[in-house]
C-alpha cells in the first residue's frame, strides 16, 4: 500500500515539476520582453533571414524565424541573431509568419530595420520585442493543467494513504462487519456528496476552459476561417466549457441550498434480503405538496480500455423507488420517512477494486423553482443474516390501488402510482385504452439528438479539413446511430387497449407501428425489464410474455419501478390475472 501511494506521489511530482518548468520558460521570455522596453532603438541591416518549418508525426506544422543582423552602437560594431525573444518554432497565432514576412521584405529591399539594444550590454539586441500574450497563456496552461493535475495527484495520494491506513485499522477492528470499514460509515447518519460533486466539476471546467480558450484565440489570430471552415469546430470546445461552468454553478447553488441535508437510517447497513427504514432531514425549502421521489440503486461502476481509451461506465443492477411526503419541522426543515425492501441475490457494497466496484446510492429528487432538489448518498448495503425478511422482499411492489401506500409501512411513502407515467386513459369500442404519448422525455431525447448531430458535424468538418474519409464514415455513422436513437426516444408512442378478454397493442414512432391483438389465453405473464439507463435513472419496458415464448412490447421508456409495477398490476387486474410473487 505504501509503495503504491509513494509511486503515485512521485508520478504527481513529475507532472507538477514539468508544469512549473514549462511555465517558467514562458515567464522568462515575457520577462525579457518587459526589460527590453527600456532599450535603445538602432537601425540594423539584415544579412540573412529564414522561415524555419517543422512538422511532427501527427501532421501539425510549427514555424520559426532565424537570421542575423549587424548594427553599430556608440561607435562599436556588433552582430546578433536574436530576431525575437521567442526562439524555436510554434504555431500560436500568426506571430512567426508575420515576423518573417516583415523581415524578408526588408531584406529583399535592402532596407534597414529598427532593433533595440541593451545599453548595459550592447552585444545584446533584438529586432521584435512584442509581448505575446497568447504564448504566455499557452505556457500558463501547462502550469494549471500539468502543475494543477500533478499537485492534485500528490494531495490525493497523500490523503488516500491516510484514508487507507484508517480503513485498514477499521478492518482489523470490525473484521466481521464490512459496513464499518469506511470512516464515513461509522454512524447511521450520512452526508450527501453535493460538495464533492461541485468541486470536481469546477476544477474540471476550469481546466477545460484554460485549454480551449487559448486554442480559439490562436485560430482567430491565424484567420483563414472561410478558406478552412473546419477550423470553426474549435468553437465547440469553449461552448462545452460554458456548459460545464454553468453546471458547476448549479451544483454550487444546490449545495448551498440543500447540502446540509442528512440521511438517517434506523440501523446500518441497508439489509440485503430485508427491510431498511429511516428518514431524510432536508434543510431547505420544499414547495407545493412536499412530494419527493426517493430511489435506492445498486450499480456497478467499472473502467474499460487503457490509456487514452480508458472510460468509466456505470451499469444499474437493481433499483427501487417510491414517493415520500415531507413533514414540516419546527426549525423550517422537512422530514421524509422511508422504508425499502431489498431482494436477496443482489451484490453487496464492494470497493476493494477501485476500477470495478459495487456502489449503493440513495437519491432524493424533486423539481423546484430555481435549483432542483437532488441529493445523493453512498450507503452501505450488505447481507445481514438476522435482518433477512421472512416474506419475499418484492411482494409490496404490486399495488392493489393507484393510491395505496407500500405494504402497510405507514411511513408516508407510496411505492407506485400508474397515473404518474404520463398515461392518457380513455374508453373506446374495444375497452379501456392507455396511451403513452410521444415527447414524454423531451429533455433527455433532445440532448441525445443534439449529441448525435454534433458527432456527425465533427466527422463532416474533419473530412473537409483534409482528414481521412475513415473519420467521416466513423463519426457520421456513430452520430447517425445516436441521432436515430434520440429521435426514437422522443417520438415513440404506444397504446394498449384492454377489453373483451384481450390486449390490443399499437406502438412505434408516433404510433405508426404494427397493431397486435393478443387474447387472454395467449398471455402467460406481463413483466417489465430494463436495458437502458441515463445517469442514475433506469428506463423500463413493459411486455406481454406469451405462451409460445414470444414477447410483445406494450410500452417503452417508462421511469420509476413502483409506477411501472402498479401499471402492470392494473393490466393484470383487468385481464383477470394473478400477480406472481
Amino acid at each position: 500500500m505504501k509503495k503504491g501511494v509513494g509511486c503515485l506521489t512521485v508520478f504527481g511530482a513529475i507532472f507538477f515539476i514539468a508544469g512549473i518548468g514549462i511555465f517558467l520558460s514562458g515567464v522568462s521570455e515575457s520577462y525579457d520582453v518587459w526589460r527590453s522596453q527600456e532599450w535603445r532603438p538602432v537601425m540594423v541591416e539584415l544579412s540573412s533571414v529564414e522561415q524555419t518549418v517543422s512538422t511532427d508525426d501527427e501532421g501539425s506544422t510549427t514555424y520559426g524565424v532565424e537570421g542575423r543582423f549587424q548594427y553599430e552602437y556608440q561607435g562599436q560594431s556588433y552582430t546578433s541573431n536574436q530576431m525575437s525573444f521567442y526562439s524555436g518554432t510554434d504555431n500560436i497565432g500568426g506571430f512567426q509568419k508575420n515576423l518573417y514576412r516583415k523581415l524578408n521584405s526588408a531584406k529583399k529591399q535592402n532596407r534597414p530595420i529598427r532593433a533595440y539594444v541593451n545599453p548595459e550590454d550592447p552585444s545584446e539586441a533584438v529586432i521584435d520585442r512584442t509581448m505575446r500574450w497568447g504564448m504566455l497563456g499557452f505556457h500558463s496552461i501547462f502550469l494549471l493543467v500539468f502543475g494543477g493535475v500533478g499537485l492534485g495527484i500528490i494531495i490525493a495520494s497523500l490523503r488516500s494513504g491516510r484514508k487507507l491506513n484508517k480503513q485498514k485499522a477499521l478492518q482489523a477492528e470490525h473484521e466481521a462487519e464490512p459496513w464499518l470499514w469506511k470512516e464515513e460509515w461509522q454512524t447511521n447518519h450520512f452526508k450527501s456528496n453535493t460538495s464533492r460533486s461541485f468541486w470536481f466539476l469546477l476544477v474540471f471546467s476550469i481546466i477545460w476552459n484554460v485549454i480551449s480558450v487559448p486554442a480559439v484565440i490562436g485560430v482567430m489570430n491565424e484567420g483563414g476561417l472561410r478558406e478552412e471552415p473546419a477550423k470553426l469546430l474549435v468553437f465547440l470546445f469553449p461552448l462545452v466549457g460554458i456548459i460545464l461552468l454553468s453546471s458547476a454553478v448549479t451544483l454550487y447553488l444546490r449545495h448551498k441550498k440543500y447540502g446540509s441535508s442528512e440521511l438517517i437510517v434506523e440501523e446500518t447497513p441497508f439489509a440485503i434480503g430485508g427491510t431498511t427504514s429511516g428518514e431524510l432531514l432536508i434543510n431547505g425549502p420544499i414547495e407545493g405538496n412536499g412530494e419527493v421521489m426517493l430511489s435506492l440503486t445498486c450499480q456497478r461502476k467499472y473502467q474499460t480500455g487503457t490509456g487514452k481509451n480508458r472510460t468509466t461506465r456505470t451499469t444499474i443492477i437493481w433499483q427501487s423507488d417510491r414517493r415520500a411526503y415531507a413533514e414540516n419541522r419546527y426549525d423550517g426543515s422537512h422530514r421524509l420517512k422511508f422504508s425499502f425492501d431489498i431482494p436477496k441475490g443482489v451484490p453487496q457494497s464492494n470497493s476493494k477494486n477501485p476500477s470495478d466496484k459495487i456502489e449503493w446510492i440513495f437519491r432524493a429528487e424533486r423539481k423546484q423553482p430555481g435549483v432542483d432538489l437532488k441529493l445523493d448518498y453512498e450507503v452501505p448495503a450488505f447481507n445481514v443474516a438476522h435482518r433477512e425478511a421472512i416474506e419475499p422482499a418484492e411482494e409490496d411492489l404490486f399495488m392493489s390501488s393507484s393510491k395505496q401506500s407500500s405494504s402497510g409501512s405507514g411511513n408516508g411513502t407510496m411505492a407506485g402510482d400508474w397515473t404518474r407515467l404520463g398515461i392518457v386513459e380513455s374508453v373506446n369500442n374495444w375497452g379501456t385504452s392507455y396511451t403513452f404519448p410521444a415527447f414524454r422525455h423531451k429533455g433527455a431525447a433532445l440532448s441525445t439528438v443534439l449529441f448525435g448531430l454534433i458527432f456527425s458535424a465533427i466527422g463532416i468538418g474533419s473530412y473537409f479539413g483534409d482528414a481521412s474519409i475513415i473519420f467521416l464514415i466513423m463519426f457520421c455513422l456513430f452520430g447517425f446511430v445516436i441521432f436515430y436513437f434520440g429521435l426514437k426516444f422522443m417520438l415513440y408512442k404506444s397504446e394498449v387497449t384492454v377489453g373483451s378478454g384481450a390486449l390490443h397493442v399499437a406502438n412505434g414512432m408516433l404510433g405508426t407501428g404494427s397493431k397486435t391483438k393478443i387474447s387472454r389465453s395467449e398471455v402467460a405473464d406481463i413483466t417489465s425489464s430494463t436495458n437502458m439507463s441515463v445517469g442514475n435513472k433506469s428506463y423500463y419496458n413493459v411486455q406481454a410474455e406469451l405462451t409460445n415464448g414470444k414477447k410483445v412490447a406494450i410500452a417503452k421508456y417508462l421511469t420509476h419501478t413502483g409506477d411501472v409495477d402498479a401499471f402492470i398490476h392494473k393490466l393484470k387486474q383487468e385481464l383477470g390475472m394473478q400477480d406472481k410473487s
Side-chain angles (χ1 to χ4, degrees), residues 81-188:
N81 61 357
Q82 190 162 249
M83 305 289 107
S84 73
F85 290 113
Y86 301 94
S87 58
T89 62
D90 65 79
N91 56 6
I92 308 299
F95 174 81
Q96 300 288 9
K97 287 183 177 181
N98 294 335
L99 178 60
Y100 170 73
R101 202 175 292 119
K102 169 186 170 183
L103 298 182
N104 189 49
S105 175
K107 175 70 172 60
K108 288 181 177 179
Q109 299 175 23
N110 293 319
R111 172 168 46 85
I113 194 169
R114 187 186 302 276
Y116 302 90
V117 178
N118 183 356
E120 297 179 2
D121 182 9
S123 64
E124 184 180 16
V126 67
I127 292 179
D128 191 293
R129 58 178 183 178
T130 302
M131 174 67 79
R132 297 181 62 189
W133 296 105
M135 181 62 78
L136 181 60
F138 176 73
H139 287 104
S140 299
I141 291 175
F142 286 89
L143 174 66
L144 293 172
V145 177
F146 281 80
V149 169
L151 183 62
I153 291 174
I154 293 172
I155 295 174
S157 65
L158 294 176
R159 285 184 176 179
S160 176
R162 289 194 293 268
K163 188 173 182 178
L164 287 172
N165 287 332
K166 288 182 180 179
Q167 187 168 325
K168 188 175 182 180
L170 290 172
Q171 288 178 1
E173 184 179 352
H174 306 283
E175 186 175 352
E177 300 172 307
W179 52 91
L180 296 178
W181 290 359
K182 287 188 176 183
E183 187 177 7
E184 57 269 29
W185 290 351
Q186 293 302 297
T187 71
N188 63 335

Side-chain angles (χ1 to χ4, degrees), residues 249-264:
V249 171
T250 299
L251 289 181
Y252 171 75
L253 295 175
R254 180 175 294 139
H255 173 66
K256 295 295 290 184
K257 192 173 183 180
Y258 299 110
S260 59
S261 301
E262 195 172 35
L263 174 67
I264 305 172

Side-chain angles (χ1 to χ4, degrees), residues 185-196:
W185 290 351
Q186 293 302 297
T187 71
N188 63 335
H189 291 61
F190 299 91
K191 296 180 179 180
S192 70
N193 63 2
T194 55
S195 175
R196 183 175 58 190

Side-chain angles (χ1 to χ4, degrees), residues 267-562:
E267 187 177 2
T268 58
F270 278 69
I272 295 176
T275 301
T276 299
S277 301
E279 60 184 21
L280 178 64
L281 300 181
I282 297 180
N283 295 316
I286 297 180
E287 307 292 339
N289 63 358
E291 180 184 285
V292 178
M293 179 61 73
L294 304 179
S295 64
L296 182 63
T297 303
C298 173
Q299 62 187 30
R300 177 191 175 203
K301 185 176 287 187
Y302 59 100
Q303 293 180 347
T304 60
T306 57
K308 294 181 180 180
N309 298 320
R310 178 174 295 178
T311 58
T312 300
R313 301 179 183 274
T314 301
T315 301
I316 293 178
I317 299 173
W318 175 86
Q319 186 176 74
S320 180
D321 51 47
R322 59 202 59 228
R323 293 179 179 86
Y325 294 88
E327 305 171 5
N328 296 326
R329 304 182 73 208
Y330 65 91
D331 58 357
S333 63
H334 302 81
R335 176 192 285 115
L336 295 97
K337 295 182 178 181
F338 65 87
S339 181
F340 278 99
D341 294 332
I342 305 175
K344 297 179 181 180
V346 290
Q348 304 181 111
S349 300
N350 189 340
S351 59
K352 292 181 180 179
N353 182 2
S355 299
D356 191 354
K357 55 186 179 180
I358 300 295
E359 296 178 336
W360 283 78
I361 305 297
F362 182 98
R363 168 172 284 192
E365 54 186 337
R366 170 187 168 84
K367 293 289 184 181
Q368 288 279 106
V371 179
D372 293 337
L373 167 66
K374 186 177 291 184
L375 297 170
D376 285 351
Y377 300 84
E378 184 177 357
V379 296
F382 289 88
N383 294 309
V384 185
H386 70 277
R387 291 175 60 192
E388 288 186 0
I390 297 175
E391 299 296 330
E394 302 95 334
E395 191 172 90
D396 71 319
L397 293 179
F398 293 121
M399 311 301 297
S400 61
S401 169
S402 64
K403 298 297 181 184
Q404 181 179 343
S405 64
S406 64
S407 164
S409 61
N411 57 13
T413 62
M414 183 193 299
D417 179 357
W418 61 267
T419 64
R420 302 295 189 90
L421 292 171
I423 295 175
V424 177
E425 184 181 7
S426 61
V427 178
N428 56 36
N429 293 333
W430 289 342
T432 305
S433 178
Y434 303 96
T435 302
F436 296 84
F439 304 103
R440 285 177 293 118
H441 307 290
K442 291 186 288 290
L446 186 59
S447 299
T448 306
V449 168
L450 289 176
F451 185 76
L453 289 174
I454 291 173
F455 225 85
S456 298
I458 293 174
I460 295 171
S462 63
Y463 176 72
F464 282 105
D466 295 330
S468 171
I469 193 173
I470 295 177
F471 285 92
L472 174 66
I473 296 173
M474 290 179 60
F475 277 83
C476 287
L477 183 61
F478 187 64
F480 175 77
V481 171
I482 296 174
F483 171 79
Y484 174 77
F485 176 76
L487 203 61
K488 184 178 179 182
F489 191 30
M490 181 186 296
L491 302 179
Y492 193 87
K493 175 184 176 182
S494 56
E495 180 180 359
V496 56
T497 302
V498 187
S500 302
L503 290 175
H504 300 266
V505 180
N507 49 40
M509 300 273 276
L510 295 176
T512 58
S514 59
K515 295 177 173 58
T516 306
K517 179 182 177 181
I518 311 169
S519 65
R520 166 65 184 87
S521 60
E522 296 178 273
V523 182
D525 199 3
I526 300 176
T527 61
S528 65
S529 63
T530 177
N531 56 7
M532 170 186 168
S533 62
V534 178
N536 200 243
K537 180 181 291 185
S538 289
Y539 290 86
Y540 298 88
N541 300 333
V542 175
Q543 60 267 333
E545 297 184 1
L546 307 185
T547 54
N548 61 8
K550 294 183 179 180
K551 295 182 179 180
V552 177
I554 294 175
K556 290 186 176 182
Y557 313 129
L558 309 181
T559 57
H560 305 310
T561 54

